[in-house]
Amino acid sequence: MNNDKVIQWYPGHMKKADREIRDKLKLIDVVIEVLDARVNYASRNPDIKKYTRNKDHIIILNKADLADPDETNKWINKLKQEDGVTAVLTYNATDQTQRNKLVNSIKNSTTKDRNELRCLVVGIPNVGKSTVINSILKKRKTQIGNKPGVTKGQQWLTTDDGLILLDTPGILWPKFEDQEAANHLAWIGSINDKIYDKENIAGDLVKFLLENYPQNLEETYGIEVDPDQPAWVAFDQIAEARHLLRKGGEYDYLRTSEMILNDFRNGKLGRITINQL
Ligand SMILES: Nc1nc2c(ncn2[C@@H]2O[C@H](COP(=O)(O)OP(=O)(O)OP(=O)(O)O)[C@@H](O)[C@H]2O)c(=O)[nH]1
Ligand SMILES: [Mg+2]
């Protein structure tokens, strides 16, 4: 199950999005960088520094409901110490009760003395930028979806409590030097699933889970695993437990892979942090 294919995904709309963001920068007071709290290393676009110069830089660790809370706390402390970072906040954009606290924290942490704050919301695909914005607006004004590349163009959105938000398409960087990070981004659904082999990617995820969260595999699929066993053995156990068979009785590895990836992405496999400190 070694992933021997190199993952690269930088479609034209991302290049265009980057150019359009740079055109708008002079209007922006605050850059809100949205990360997926499960992958706070891999979901950081190194190119973001181009946008944050002379601006407040607020990091939102979104999807915190899907991440391991102890790991999230460690990440908050680490990211807070980073040069130029104004504040680090955690969020679950699907839980509307957290909305007011988030808005107050954004307003309280800014150094700009303005009645209206213009915020650029950026991040890699599928981390929940548009969902965060809808949650702040208390309305479904931006399009969302559980796949990368849903937002194709920019959109200004105004709240009734002084925030003006610019939704932007998720942007990756032209070349992944770090293929392990690219794998992690495939796991969380930030890379178009047509450009990687789902069975390889799901196999690597199972290997990670065996090493780090074996109990989650056991509880989710009702199987017993040994952390030292090869990933393909767990794969067979999962296919067997879920009766994912093809005609002729062989295990259906493609459907098993898709199910495991979806279960991870939707939190059915429990609260898991991939990038651990
Ligand atoms: N569990 C959970 N799911 C979330 C959260 N935020 C967003 N989602 C889900 O994540 C998926 C992606 O959300 P979007 O808001 O479309 O992500 P995006 O960053 O705007 O994606 P692009 O526009 O493609 O770059 C959707 O299925 C959302 O319902 C969260 O905090 N917790
Ligand atoms: Mg979006």
Side-chain angles (χ1 to χ4, degrees), residues 59-71:
I59 297 178
I60 294 182
L61 307 184
N62 191 43
K63 305 202 184 187
D65 55 307
L66 304 178
D68 191 330
D70 293 339
E71 291 296 328

Side-chain angles (χ1 to χ4, degrees), residues 30-100:
V30 180
V31 175
I32 298 180
E33 179 185 10
V34 181
L35 303 182
D36 181 317
R38 297 168 295 178
V39 283
N40 294 317
Y41 171 73
S43 67
R44 295 203 76 189
N45 184 339
D47 290 347
I48 212 100
K49 292 213 165 57
K50 289 190 294 198
Y51 311 146
T52 54
R53 211 171 300 131
N54 302 325
K55 320 242 179 245
D56 283 345
H57 177 191
I58 296 176
I59 297 178
I60 294 182
L61 307 184
N62 191 43
K63 305 202 184 187
D65 55 307
L66 304 178
D68 191 330
D70 293 339
E71 291 296 328
T72 303
N73 285 333
K74 288 192 222 164
W75 273 103
I76 295 172
N77 292 332
K78 181 180 163 65
L79 293 169
K80 263 187 191 161
Q81 286 163 25
E82 196 174 290
D83 250 5
V85 170
T86 318
V88 183
L89 311 171
T90 59
Y91 201 47
N92 168 4
T94 64
D95 174 8
Q96 205 51 27
T97 65
Q98 299 186 13
R99 184 261 176 202
N100 289 351

Side-chain angles (χ1 to χ4, degrees), residues 228-251:
D228 296 326
Q229 75 188 49
W232 66 265
V233 175
F235 229 78
D236 284 357
Q237 288 172 291
I238 296 168
E240 174 77 36
R242 288 295 159 98
H243 311 293
L244 294 171
L245 303 173
R246 297 195 316 190
K247 273 189 205 139
E250 280 169 43
Y251 295 129

Side-chain angles (χ1 to χ4, degrees), residues 86-256:
T86 318
V88 183
L89 311 171
T90 59
Y91 201 47
N92 168 4
T94 64
D95 174 8
Q96 205 51 27
T97 65
Q98 299 186 13
R99 184 261 176 202
N100 289 351
K101 188 166 166 254
L102 179 81
V103 170
N104 288 335
S105 304
I106 291 173
K107 287 184 176 172
N108 290 339
S109 50
T110 176
T111 59
K112 314 275 173 185
D113 187 16
R114 303 253 166 90
N115 290 336
E116 286 191 328
L117 272 183
R118 279 178 293 195
C119 308
L120 168 71
V121 181
V122 284
I124 65 163
N126 206 41
V127 290
K129 298 174 294 301
S130 302
T131 312
V132 168
I133 290 176
N134 284 345
S135 151
I136 293 176
L137 291 167
K138 301 188 231 170
K139 287 183 197 122
R140 199 180 158 131
K141 285 250 176 161
T142 68
Q143 210 191 334
I144 62 166
N146 203 358
K147 59 177 188 178
V150 171
T151 304
K152 291 277 193 267
Q154 296 183 346
Q155 187 180 359
W156 285 106
L157 300 132
T158 307
T159 70
D160 47 18
D161 46 11
L163 295 182
I164 302 175
L165 305 162
L166 182 62
D167 191 18
T168 63
I171 304 181
L172 291 164
W173 43 107
K175 192 167 185 296
F176 290 124
E177 305 291 347
D178 180 346
Q179 283 294 309
E180 194 186 3
N183 261 9
H184 296 166
L185 297 185
W187 296 352
I188 63 166
S190 289
I191 292 177
N192 185 336
D193 64 9
K194 291 192 178 61
I195 73 130
Y196 58 80
D197 182 311
K198 286 182 189 162
E199 291 174 32
N200 274 335
I201 291 297
D204 285 344
L205 174 58
V206 168
K207 187 163 177 283
F208 170 88
L209 294 172
L210 277 170
E211 284 163 11
N212 296 281
Y213 292 93
Q215 228 182 321
N216 295 53
L217 279 175
E218 294 188 332
E219 284 167 11
T220 307
Y221 299 118
I223 56 175
E224 259 182 57
V225 298
D226 170 353
D228 296 326
Q229 75 188 49
W232 66 265
V233 175
F235 229 78
D236 284 357
Q237 288 172 291
I238 296 168
E240 174 77 36
R242 288 295 159 98
H243 311 293
L244 294 171
L245 303 173
R246 297 195 316 190
K247 273 189 205 139
E250 280 169 43
Y251 295 129
D252 188 332
Y253 290 121
L254 181 59
R255 272 168 65 215
T256 308

